[in-house]
């Protein structure tokens, strides 16, 4: 039995055509992060934020899971032990690629959240600032996204899984955003082997036992085949 926890970031969806954040031409080069990814930005200009996520939702809906997403689903189906994907991504490509055990720690584009009562419902493709909550009727709909300064989702479950992990793998994340960037240290403390799969070393690359550099559609299927062969 071996328990595997996988942290994914924008790099795993890059080859599906979804932009990353910190690339030279990425999302943060096109949009001011304080305007579109903070609660204060949402209070200042809710339409700007809702439109930003409407655009992202439309882009994600037309993207397809790639070989890396599919390989992680195969790992979940065939590993002798648990496989948990903790994704920082707000797209649903892991689920559409076949993974079932997925935590969206930074929220999900296909979900809307009521800021008044915390009810959640499926987001329409184009949310409107004036949308009302289907449960309490308050005009308080917001994208169900974890912005800077907000607490990521399901942290208790993630910390428990890291404490039980035999293998921790980080795929396509730059290691700039906490608490996700602290997971490698947490897993190592619990005795897990740690591996980074990325195009290049991340900000926390030196903390991993091993690193493999290359596009996720190549490195992830190769790693999955390798680990399943060691069953
Ligand atoms: C490929 C590839 C290919 C490309 N193949 N690889 C000072 C110190 C420490 C912490 C803080 C601090 N000041 C503030 C904080 C906290 C703050 C934080 O970390 N700030 C930093 C910027 C310093 N964090 C928070 O506020 C978080 N909340 C929090 O800490 O609450 C307190 C708390 C926590 C826990 C318990 C109790 C209390 C919330 C963070 C919310 C992040 N939100 C965003 C936007 C919303 C979601 C969205 O719109 O999609 O989430 S920011 C953005 O960054 C997004 C991403 O999920 C996140 C991570 O980005 P990611 O995925 O790493 O993408 P990139 O673009 O950075 O990197 C892509 C990588 O892929 C690169 O490495 C490429 O090389 C690689 N790649 N193509 C393989 N083909
Ligand atoms: Zn409500």
């Amino acid at each position: 039995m071996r328990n595997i926890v996988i942290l994914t970031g924008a790099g795993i969806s890059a080859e599906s055509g979804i932009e990353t954040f910190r690339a030279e031409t990425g999302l943060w080069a096109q949009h001011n992060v304080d305007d579109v990814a903070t609660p204060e930005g949402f209070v200042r200009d809710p339409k700007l934020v809702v439109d930003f996520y409407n655009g992202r939702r439309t882009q994600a809906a037309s993207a397809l899971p790639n070989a890396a997403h599919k390989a992680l689903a195969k790992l979940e189906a065939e590993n002798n032990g648990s496989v948990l994907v903790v994704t920082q991504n707000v797209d649903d490509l892991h689920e559409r690629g076949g993974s079932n055990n997925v935590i969206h720690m930074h929220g999900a584009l296909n979900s809307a959240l009521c800021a008044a009562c915390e009810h959640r419902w499926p987001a329409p493709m184009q949310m409107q600032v004036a949308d009302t909550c289907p449960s309490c009727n308050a005009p308080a709909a917001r994208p169900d996204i974890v912005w800077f300064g907000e607490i990521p989702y399901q942290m208790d479950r993630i910390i428990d899984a890291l404490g039980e992990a035999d293998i921790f793998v980080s795929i396509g994340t730059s290691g700039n955003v906490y608490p996700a960037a602290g997971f490698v240290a947490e897993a190592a403390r619990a005795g897990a082997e740690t591996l980074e799969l990325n195009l290049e070393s991340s900000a926390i690359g030196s903390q991993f036992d091993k690193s493999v550099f290359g596009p996720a559609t190549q490195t992830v299927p190769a790693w999955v085949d390798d680990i399943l062969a060691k069953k």
Side-chain angles (χ1 to χ4, degrees), residues 4-41:
I4 304 177
V5 177
I6 296 155
L7 173 70
T8 66
I12 198 169
S13 295
E15 290 164 87
S16 293
I18 298 183
E19 292 165 299
T20 65
F21 295 91
R22 294 171 183 82
E24 241 170 73
T25 55
L27 285 167
W28 292 163
Q30 304 167 46
H31 304 270
N32 181 339
V33 50
D34 293 328
D35 289 340
V36 297
T38 64
E40 295 79 13

Short mmCIF file of all heavy atoms in Angstrom, two decimals, residues 4-41:
data_model
loop_
_atom_site.label_atom_id
_atom_site.label_comp_id
_atom_site.label_asym_id
_atom_site.label_seq_id
_atom_site.Cartn_x
_atom_site.Cartn_y
_atom_site.Cartn_z
N ILE A 4 -0.52 8.35 -2.11
CA ILE A 4 0.11 9.37 -2.95
C ILE A 4 -0.73 10.65 -2.90
O ILE A 4 -1.95 10.61 -3.09
CB ILE A 4 0.21 8.88 -4.41
CG1 ILE A 4 0.97 7.54 -4.47
CG2 ILE A 4 0.90 9.93 -5.28
CD1 ILE A 4 1.07 6.91 -5.86
N VAL A 5 -0.07 11.76 -2.60
CA VAL A 5 -0.74 13.07 -2.68
C VAL A 5 -0.07 13.86 -3.79
O VAL A 5 1.17 13.95 -3.84
CB VAL A 5 -0.64 13.85 -1.34
CG1 VAL A 5 -1.28 15.22 -1.48
CG2 VAL A 5 -1.32 13.06 -0.22
N ILE A 6 -0.90 14.40 -4.69
CA ILE A 6 -0.39 15.15 -5.84
C ILE A 6 -0.93 16.57 -5.77
O ILE A 6 -2.15 16.77 -5.66
CB ILE A 6 -0.88 14.46 -7.14
CG1 ILE A 6 -0.27 13.05 -7.23
CG2 ILE A 6 -0.49 15.28 -8.37
CD1 ILE A 6 -1.06 12.10 -8.04
N LEU A 7 -0.03 17.53 -5.81
CA LEU A 7 -0.43 18.94 -5.87
C LEU A 7 -0.29 19.40 -7.31
O LEU A 7 0.79 19.23 -7.90
CB LEU A 7 0.47 19.79 -4.96
CG LEU A 7 0.26 21.31 -5.07
CD1 LEU A 7 -1.09 21.72 -4.47
CD2 LEU A 7 1.40 22.06 -4.37
N THR A 8 -1.33 19.95 -7.88
CA THR A 8 -1.19 20.46 -9.25
C THR A 8 -1.43 21.96 -9.30
O THR A 8 -2.14 22.54 -8.48
CB THR A 8 -2.15 19.76 -10.25
OG1 THR A 8 -3.51 20.07 -9.94
CG2 THR A 8 -1.95 18.26 -10.26
N GLY A 9 -0.79 22.58 -10.31
CA GLY A 9 -0.96 24.01 -10.56
C GLY A 9 -1.21 24.25 -12.04
O GLY A 9 -1.39 23.30 -12.83
N ALA A 10 -1.19 25.51 -12.41
CA ALA A 10 -1.60 25.91 -13.75
C ALA A 10 -0.81 25.20 -14.85
O ALA A 10 -1.34 24.99 -15.95
CB ALA A 10 -1.43 27.42 -13.89
N GLY A 11 0.43 24.79 -14.57
CA GLY A 11 1.25 24.15 -15.59
C GLY A 11 0.67 22.86 -16.13
O GLY A 11 0.92 22.50 -17.28
N ILE A 12 -0.15 22.16 -15.32
CA ILE A 12 -0.69 20.89 -15.82
C ILE A 12 -1.77 21.13 -16.87
O ILE A 12 -2.03 20.28 -17.73
CB ILE A 12 -1.21 19.96 -14.69
CG1 ILE A 12 -1.34 18.52 -15.22
CG2 ILE A 12 -2.52 20.45 -14.09
CD1 ILE A 12 -1.58 17.46 -14.17
N SER A 13 -2.39 22.30 -16.83
CA SER A 13 -3.44 22.61 -17.81
C SER A 13 -2.93 23.46 -18.97
O SER A 13 -3.68 23.75 -19.91
CB SER A 13 -4.62 23.33 -17.13
OG SER A 13 -5.24 22.47 -16.18
N ALA A 14 -1.64 23.85 -18.92
CA ALA A 14 -1.10 24.75 -19.95
C ALA A 14 -1.21 24.15 -21.34
O ALA A 14 -1.59 24.82 -22.31
CB ALA A 14 0.34 25.11 -19.62
N GLU A 15 -0.90 22.84 -21.44
CA GLU A 15 -0.94 22.21 -22.77
C GLU A 15 -2.37 21.90 -23.22
O GLU A 15 -2.59 21.42 -24.33
CB GLU A 15 -0.08 20.94 -22.76
CG GLU A 15 1.40 21.30 -22.67
CD GLU A 15 2.23 20.09 -22.27
OE1 GLU A 15 2.62 19.33 -23.16
OE2 GLU A 15 2.47 19.91 -21.05
N SER A 16 -3.35 22.18 -22.36
CA SER A 16 -4.76 22.13 -22.79
C SER A 16 -5.21 23.50 -23.29
O SER A 16 -6.37 23.70 -23.61
CB SER A 16 -5.65 21.70 -21.61
OG SER A 16 -5.38 20.36 -21.23
N GLY A 17 -4.28 24.47 -23.28
CA GLY A 17 -4.60 25.80 -23.81
C GLY A 17 -5.07 26.79 -22.75
O GLY A 17 -5.56 27.87 -23.09
N ILE A 18 -4.93 26.44 -21.47
CA ILE A 18 -5.33 27.36 -20.40
C ILE A 18 -4.10 28.12 -19.92
O ILE A 18 -3.07 27.52 -19.60
CB ILE A 18 -6.02 26.59 -19.25
CG1 ILE A 18 -7.29 25.93 -19.79
CG2 ILE A 18 -6.32 27.51 -18.08
CD1 ILE A 18 -8.11 25.20 -18.76
N GLU A 19 -4.22 29.44 -19.89
CA GLU A 19 -3.06 30.27 -19.54
C GLU A 19 -2.63 30.06 -18.09
O GLU A 19 -3.47 29.89 -17.21
CB GLU A 19 -3.41 31.75 -19.69
CG GLU A 19 -3.64 32.18 -21.11
CD GLU A 19 -4.33 33.54 -21.17
OE1 GLU A 19 -5.46 33.67 -20.66
OE2 GLU A 19 -3.73 34.46 -21.73
N THR A 20 -1.31 30.12 -17.85
CA THR A 20 -0.82 30.12 -16.47
C THR A 20 -0.85 31.57 -15.95
O THR A 20 -1.27 32.49 -16.67
CB THR A 20 0.62 29.55 -16.39
OG1 THR A 20 1.49 30.42 -17.09
CG2 THR A 20 0.69 28.14 -16.99
N PHE A 21 -0.43 31.75 -14.72
CA PHE A 21 -0.50 33.09 -14.10
C PHE A 21 0.77 33.88 -14.30
O PHE A 21 0.75 35.04 -14.69
CB PHE A 21 -0.78 32.95 -12.59
CG PHE A 21 -2.12 32.36 -12.32
CD1 PHE A 21 -2.28 30.99 -12.17
CD2 PHE A 21 -3.24 33.17 -12.27
CE1 PHE A 21 -3.52 30.43 -11.97
CE2 PHE A 21 -4.48 32.62 -12.07
CZ PHE A 21 -4.63 31.25 -11.91
N ARG A 22 1.92 33.24 -14.00
CA ARG A 22 3.16 34.00 -13.85
C ARG A 22 4.10 33.89 -15.05
O ARG A 22 5.22 34.37 -14.99
CB ARG A 22 3.85 33.61 -12.54
CG ARG A 22 3.01 34.04 -11.35
CD ARG A 22 3.45 33.54 -10.00
NE ARG A 22 2.50 33.98 -8.99
CZ ARG A 22 1.33 33.37 -8.73
NH1 ARG A 22 0.98 32.27 -9.39
NH2 ARG A 22 0.49 33.87 -7.84
N ALA A 23 3.64 33.29 -16.15
CA ALA A 23 4.46 33.31 -17.38
C ALA A 23 4.53 34.76 -17.86
O ALA A 23 3.70 35.60 -17.48
CB ALA A 23 3.81 32.42 -18.44
N GLU A 24 5.53 35.04 -18.71
CA GLU A 24 5.72 36.42 -19.18
C GLU A 24 4.46 37.01 -19.80
O GLU A 24 4.19 38.20 -19.68
CB GLU A 24 6.85 36.44 -20.21
CG GLU A 24 8.02 37.30 -19.78
CD GLU A 24 9.20 37.11 -20.70
OE1 GLU A 24 9.14 37.61 -21.84
OE2 GLU A 24 10.16 36.43 -20.28
N THR A 25 3.69 36.15 -20.49
CA THR A 25 2.45 36.64 -21.12
C THR A 25 1.23 36.05 -20.40
O THR A 25 0.15 36.00 -20.98
CB THR A 25 2.42 36.22 -22.60
OG1 THR A 25 2.59 34.79 -22.63
CG2 THR A 25 3.49 36.89 -23.42
N GLY A 26 1.42 35.61 -19.16
CA GLY A 26 0.35 34.94 -18.42
C GLY A 26 -0.70 35.91 -17.88
O GLY A 26 -0.65 37.12 -18.13
N LEU A 27 -1.63 35.35 -17.10
CA LEU A 27 -2.78 36.14 -16.63
C LEU A 27 -2.38 37.37 -15.83
O LEU A 27 -2.99 38.42 -15.95
CB LEU A 27 -3.70 35.25 -15.79
CG LEU A 27 -4.55 34.25 -16.59
CD1 LEU A 27 -5.17 33.21 -15.67
CD2 LEU A 27 -5.64 35.00 -17.37
N TRP A 28 -1.31 37.21 -15.01
CA TRP A 28 -0.94 38.37 -14.16
C TRP A 28 -0.18 39.44 -14.95
O TRP A 28 0.06 40.53 -14.45
CB TRP A 28 -0.15 37.94 -12.93
CG TRP A 28 -0.90 37.14 -11.89
CD1 TRP A 28 -0.31 36.39 -10.92
CD2 TRP A 28 -2.32 37.01 -11.67
NE1 TRP A 28 -1.28 35.80 -10.13
CE2 TRP A 28 -2.51 36.16 -10.57
CE3 TRP A 28 -3.46 37.51 -12.30
CZ2 TRP A 28 -3.77 35.80 -10.08
CZ3 TRP A 28 -4.73 37.16 -11.83
CH2 TRP A 28 -4.86 36.32 -10.74
N ALA A 29 0.20 39.13 -16.20
CA ALA A 29 0.76 40.17 -17.06
C ALA A 29 -0.37 40.94 -17.75
O ALA A 29 -0.18 42.07 -18.19
CB ALA A 29 1.68 39.54 -18.10
N GLN A 30 -1.54 40.33 -17.81
CA GLN A 30 -2.67 40.96 -18.51
C GLN A 30 -3.66 41.64 -17.57
O GLN A 30 -4.47 42.46 -17.98
CB GLN A 30 -3.44 39.91 -19.31
CG GLN A 30 -2.60 39.11 -20.30
CD GLN A 30 -3.36 37.90 -20.81
OE1 GLN A 30 -4.52 37.97 -21.18
NE2 GLN A 30 -2.72 36.74 -20.79
N HIS A 31 -3.66 41.22 -16.29
CA HIS A 31 -4.64 41.73 -15.33
C HIS A 31 -3.92 42.07 -14.04
O HIS A 31 -2.99 41.38 -13.64
CB HIS A 31 -5.71 40.67 -15.01
CG HIS A 31 -6.42 40.17 -16.23
ND1 HIS A 31 -7.56 40.74 -16.73
CD2 HIS A 31 -6.11 39.14 -17.06
CE1 HIS A 31 -7.94 40.08 -17.81
NE2 HIS A 31 -7.08 39.11 -18.04
N ASN A 32 -4.41 43.10 -13.35
CA ASN A 32 -3.84 43.47 -12.06
C ASN A 32 -4.41 42.53 -10.99
O ASN A 32 -5.62 42.50 -10.76
CB ASN A 32 -4.21 44.93 -11.77
CG ASN A 32 -3.62 45.40 -10.46
OD1 ASN A 32 -3.27 44.58 -9.58
ND2 ASN A 32 -3.49 46.69 -10.31
N VAL A 33 -3.51 41.76 -10.36
CA VAL A 33 -3.94 40.74 -9.41
C VAL A 33 -4.77 41.34 -8.26
O VAL A 33 -5.76 40.76 -7.82
CB VAL A 33 -2.74 39.90 -8.91
CG1 VAL A 33 -1.62 40.74 -8.43
CG2 VAL A 33 -3.14 38.91 -7.86
N ASP A 34 -4.41 42.55 -7.81
CA ASP A 34 -5.18 43.18 -6.71
C ASP A 34 -6.59 43.55 -7.14
O ASP A 34 -7.50 43.63 -6.31
CB ASP A 34 -4.47 44.45 -6.22
CG ASP A 34 -3.16 44.13 -5.56
OD1 ASP A 34 -3.06 43.04 -4.96
OD2 ASP A 34 -2.22 44.95 -5.67
N ASP A 35 -6.78 43.76 -8.44
CA ASP A 35 -8.12 44.11 -8.93
C ASP A 35 -9.00 42.88 -9.12
O ASP A 35 -10.19 42.93 -8.85
CB ASP A 35 -8.03 44.84 -10.28
CG ASP A 35 -7.47 46.25 -10.13
OD1 ASP A 35 -7.51 46.78 -9.00
OD2 ASP A 35 -6.97 46.79 -11.14
N VAL A 36 -8.41 41.76 -9.60
CA VAL A 36 -9.26 40.62 -9.97
C VAL A 36 -9.20 39.43 -9.03
O VAL A 36 -10.04 38.53 -9.12
CB VAL A 36 -8.96 40.13 -11.42
CG1 VAL A 36 -9.28 41.22 -12.44
CG2 VAL A 36 -7.53 39.63 -11.56
N ALA A 37 -8.24 39.40 -8.09
CA ALA A 37 -8.11 38.20 -7.25
C ALA A 37 -7.95 38.54 -5.76
O ALA A 37 -7.22 37.87 -5.04
CB ALA A 37 -6.94 37.34 -7.73
N THR A 38 -8.67 39.59 -5.33
CA THR A 38 -8.74 39.90 -3.90
C THR A 38 -10.19 40.26 -3.55
O THR A 38 -10.92 40.78 -4.40
CB THR A 38 -7.84 41.10 -3.50
OG1 THR A 38 -8.34 42.28 -4.16
CG2 THR A 38 -6.39 40.88 -3.86
N PRO A 39 -10.60 40.04 -2.29
CA PRO A 39 -11.95 40.45 -1.89
C PRO A 39 -12.13 41.96 -2.00
O PRO A 39 -13.22 42.44 -2.35
CB PRO A 39 -12.05 40.01 -0.42
CG PRO A 39 -10.86 39.17 -0.13
CD PRO A 39 -9.85 39.35 -1.23
N GLU A 40 -11.05 42.72 -1.78
CA GLU A 40 -11.14 44.19 -1.86
C GLU A 40 -11.40 44.62 -3.32
O GLU A 40 -12.18 45.53 -3.57
CB GLU A 40 -9.83 44.84 -1.37
CG GLU A 40 -9.52 44.62 0.11
CD GLU A 40 -8.93 43.24 0.43
OE1 GLU A 40 -8.52 42.51 -0.52
OE2 GLU A 40 -8.88 42.87 1.62
N GLY A 41 -10.75 43.92 -4.26
CA GLY A 41 -10.97 44.21 -5.68
C GLY A 41 -12.42 43.95 -6.06
O GLY A 41 -13.03 44.71 -6.82
#
